[in-house]
């Protein structure tokens, strides 16, 4: 992690002339003459920053949100989604305010200023746990969509299995190997987060395609009268069902975790005063997508909603072109997750380097270190995706540990400090 200078700004100020030197330089130079080999970079745009932050937020969590509606009911579930959006906005505001005051250009730098070396290390470990867990979930979902999954003794066929039949080359492990080598690895090789703005825009568009198709299916079934009225409130009949309500908290927490990328996006903005509008725009966009996906996903499948709602799209929906629409929903969201992967991987690699080589030169200046860390992390994520059985298990672990620290405990601790 690098720690640099950011002066408090009372007015609009371009970063084009910002001068940085030595060990306090950002991860990447903004000028070719600062460390040769890079094209001139005059700062990221507002739109690109919104897409990158939105892509960080809207990942795999959206697929588990309809299942939280099954536990909480629509009224409480949607209220919790809105509440978490406001809570996330407040926690990010704390981070940015005290980063300006402490002249820190990274989350780790802010934790280091507040709590010393061990505070920075604890933050980096939490980013590793959270992001590795999230990326494992991405791979699990992609494997479920393309190669199928089994739940409670019922097999849900994958897209490739439905199209081509069951073969060794469309099995889960082989498909994930091809996806990792052909898509994840090349996209993970970009050294500047703004380089991913176009893939981020495409990933948001794919999420909207998924949402539009889901909403359309739900409306058609609602008009035809084949949809049951969803439960509005949680069904609490005993102590066990009461405690089950709390299993949704890690999913809701994980759904909005983007704090580890806020500083990277802020550092690359041409006008740093835009970071607050960027955050609020991204949160508003993602909250809208979350609410609509949760509502219409639960409306479609009711109590049959699975932990990963994509797995529900393998049956006859009772409308024309059901099979085609099922495949369109699943393929569009699998492609979305493939494009989200590098956005979440970027801070993971950066924090791993800061943890292992805290006093080395910036990661972008060492190709060998960059390649080794990238390859090692991708290998760990690939292995985790092949041995962890369910995204609900991964969400409960990361959401109850690292995610809640990154999103809410650390910002509050820094504020109190």
């Amino acid at each position: 992690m690098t720690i640099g200078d950011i002066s408090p700004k009372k007015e609009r100020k371009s970063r084009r002339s910002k001068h940085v030197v030595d060990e306090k330089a950002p991860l990447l130079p903004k000028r070719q003459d600062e460390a040769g080999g890079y094209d001139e970079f005059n700062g990221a745009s507002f739109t690109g920053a919104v897409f990158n932050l939105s892509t960080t937020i809207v990942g795999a969590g959206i697929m588990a949100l309809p299942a939280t509606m099954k536990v909480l009911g629509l009224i409480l579930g949607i209220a919790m989604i809105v509440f978490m959006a406001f809570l996330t906005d407040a926690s990010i505001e704390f981070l940015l305010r005290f980063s300006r005051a402490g002249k820190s250009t990274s989350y780790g730098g802010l934790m280091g200023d507040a709590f010393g070396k061990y505070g920075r290390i604890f933050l980096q470990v939490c980013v590793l746990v959270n992001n590795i867990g999230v990326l494992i979930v991405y791979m699990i979902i992609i494997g479920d969509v393309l190669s199928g999954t089994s739940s409670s003794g019922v097999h849900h066929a994958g897209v490739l299995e439905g199209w081509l039949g069951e073969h060794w080359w469309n099995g889960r492990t082989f498909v994930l190997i091809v996806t990792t080598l052909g898509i994840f690895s090349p996209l993970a090789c970009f050294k500047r987060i703004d380089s991913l703005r176009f893939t981020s825009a495409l990933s948001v568009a794919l999420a909207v395609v998924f949402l539009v198709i889901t909403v359309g299916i739900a409306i058609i079934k609602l008009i035809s009268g084949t949809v049951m009225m969803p439960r509005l409130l949680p069904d609490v009949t005993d102590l066990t069902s009461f405690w089950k309500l709390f299993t949704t908290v890690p999913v809701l927490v994980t759904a909005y975790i983007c704090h580890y990328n806020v500083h990277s996006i802020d550092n690359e903005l041409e006008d740093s005063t835009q970071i607050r509008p960027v955050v609020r725009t991204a949160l508003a966009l993602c909250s809208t997508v979350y609410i609509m996906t949760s509502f219409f996903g639960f409306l479609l499948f009711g109590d049959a909603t699975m932990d990963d709602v994509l797995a529900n799209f393998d049956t006859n929906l009772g409308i024309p072109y059901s099979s085609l629409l099922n495949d369109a929903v699943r393929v569009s969201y699998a492609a979305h997750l493939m494009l989200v992967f590098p956005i979440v991987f970027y801070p993971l690699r950066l924090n791993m380097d800061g943890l292992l080589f805290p006093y080395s030169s910036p990661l972008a200046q060492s190709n060998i270190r960059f390649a080794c860390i990238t390859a090692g992390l991708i290998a760990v994520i690939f292995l985790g995706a092949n041995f962890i059985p369910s995204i609900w298990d991964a969400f409960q672990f990361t959401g109850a540990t690292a995610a809640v620290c990154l999103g809410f405990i650390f910002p509050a601790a820094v504020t109190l400090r």
Side-chain angles (χ1 to χ4, degrees):
M1 278 290 187
T2 56
I3 304 175
D5 293 334
I6 291 184
S7 301
K9 298 175 178 59
K10 296 183 180 179
E11 59 185 17
R12 178 184 176 93
K13 184 174 181 181
S14 172
R15 295 191 176 198
R16 291 187 180 185
S17 59
K18 186 167 83 171
H19 182 61
V20 289
V21 294
D22 297 332
E23 74 280 358
K24 294 187 177 182
L27 176 65
L28 285 172
K30 296 196 175 188
R31 289 279 191 244
Q32 185 172 2
D33 56 5
E34 288 176 1
Y38 293 93
D39 296 330
E40 183 175 350
F41 177 62
N42 290 327
S45 66
F46 177 88
T47 304
V50 169
F51 279 134
N52 279 334
L53 192 59
S54 299
T55 301
T56 305
I57 298 171
V58 180
I62 190 174
M63 291 298 98
L65 286 176
T68 67
M69 300 299 108
K70 182 173 68 172
V71 178
L72 297 176
L74 280 180
I75 294 177
L76 184 58
I78 291 175
M80 286 299 298
I81 291 175
V82 174
F83 173 73
M84 291 303 299
F86 281 104
L87 199 60
T88 301
D89 180 62
S91 65
I92 292 176
E93 196 275 330
F94 289 155
L95 287 183
L96 293 172
R97 183 199 308 173
F98 292 103
S99 293
R100 296 284 190 267
K103 300 180 180 179
S104 299
T105 59
S106 68
Y107 200 165
L110 178 62
M111 285 294 290
D113 289 343
F115 300 103
K117 179 180 71 173
Y118 294 107
R120 174 181 58 81
I121 291 175
F122 190 26
L123 179 278
Q124 290 169 336
V125 170
C126 285
V127 172
L128 295 183
V129 172
N130 180 77
N131 289 29
I132 288 176
V134 167
L135 293 177
I136 286 173
V137 167
Y138 290 0
M139 277 204 185
I140 291 174
I141 291 178
I142 291 168
D144 289 349
V145 169
L146 298 181
S147 300
T149 183
S150 297
S151 177
S152 302
V154 179
H155 180 69
H156 297 267
V159 172
L160 296 179
E161 186 178 343
W163 289 348
L164 306 170
E166 189 173 350
H167 303 281
W168 66 268
W169 44 265
N170 59 17
R172 185 188 194 88
T173 302
F174 187 78
V175 166
L176 288 182
I177 289 175
V178 172
T179 304
T180 300
L181 297 179
I183 299 175
F184 294 153
S185 297
L187 290 177
C189 290
F190 287 106
K191 295 184 177 181
R192 179 178 284 122
I193 196 168
D194 188 61
S195 302
L196 297 167
R197 63 190 182 279
F198 297 115
T199 58
S200 293
L202 181 57
S203 72
V204 173
L206 288 168
V208 172
V209 168
F210 159 79
L211 177 60
V212 168
I213 296 174
T214 303
V215 171
I217 294 171
I219 291 175
I220 291 173
K221 295 194 70 174
L222 195 61
I223 293 173
S224 65
T226 57
V227 172
M228 299 285 293
M229 180 62 185
R231 190 180 340 108
L232 299 180
L233 296 171
D235 183 18
V236 180
T237 57
D238 53 26
L239 189 60
T240 302
S241 59
F242 172 75
W243 288 117
K244 188 177 180 181
L245 298 178
F246 293 94
T247 64
T248 64
V249 174
V251 178
L252 291 165
V253 168
T254 305
Y256 281 104
I257 295 301
C258 60
H259 303 64
Y260 48 78
N261 255 351
V262 171
H263 286 86
S264 297
I265 292 170
D266 181 29
N267 292 340
E268 293 187 5
L269 272 174
E270 180 182 4
D271 176 14
S272 64
T273 62
Q274 290 186 327
I275 187 62
R276 291 296 295 140
V278 164
V279 170
R280 287 177 176 170
T281 302
L283 286 174
L285 173 63
C286 296
S287 297
T288 303
V289 172
Y290 280 171
I291 290 172
M292 293 184 70
T293 302
S294 301
F295 177 80
F296 287 102
F298 184 45
L299 185 66
L300 264 180
F301 302 110
D303 289 336
T305 304
M306 297 182 64
D307 295 345
D308 175 7
V309 74
L310 280 180
N312 285 106
F313 287 95
D314 71 334
T315 58
N316 189 346
L317 298 173
I319 61 174
Y321 307 106
S322 173
S323 178
L324 179 63
L325 291 172
N326 278 339
D327 290 347
V329 165
R330 294 193 288 173
V331 170
S332 64
Y333 209 81
H336 163 79
L337 291 183
M338 293 177 187
L339 298 177
V340 173
F341 188 96
I343 286 287
V344 179
F345 189 84
Y346 180 91
L348 171 61
R349 177 176 53 213
L350 186 61
N351 280 273
M352 175 62 83
D353 180 69
L355 190 62
L356 298 179
F357 309 102
Y359 304 110
S360 299
S361 60
L363 179 61
Q365 297 179 8
S366 174
N367 290 333
I368 295 177
R369 206 164 84 237
F370 184 91
C372 290
I373 292 176
T374 300
L377 288 173
I378 289 178
V380 169
I381 294 165
F382 174 80
L383 291 174
N386 281 278
F387 290 101
I388 295 177
S390 167
I391 67 170
W392 197 260
D393 297 330
F395 273 135
Q396 285 183 328
F397 177 74
T398 60
T401 54
V404 72
C405 289
L406 291 172
F408 307 108
I409 293 177
F410 290 164
V414 168
T415 302
L416 292 175
R417 187 75 169 181

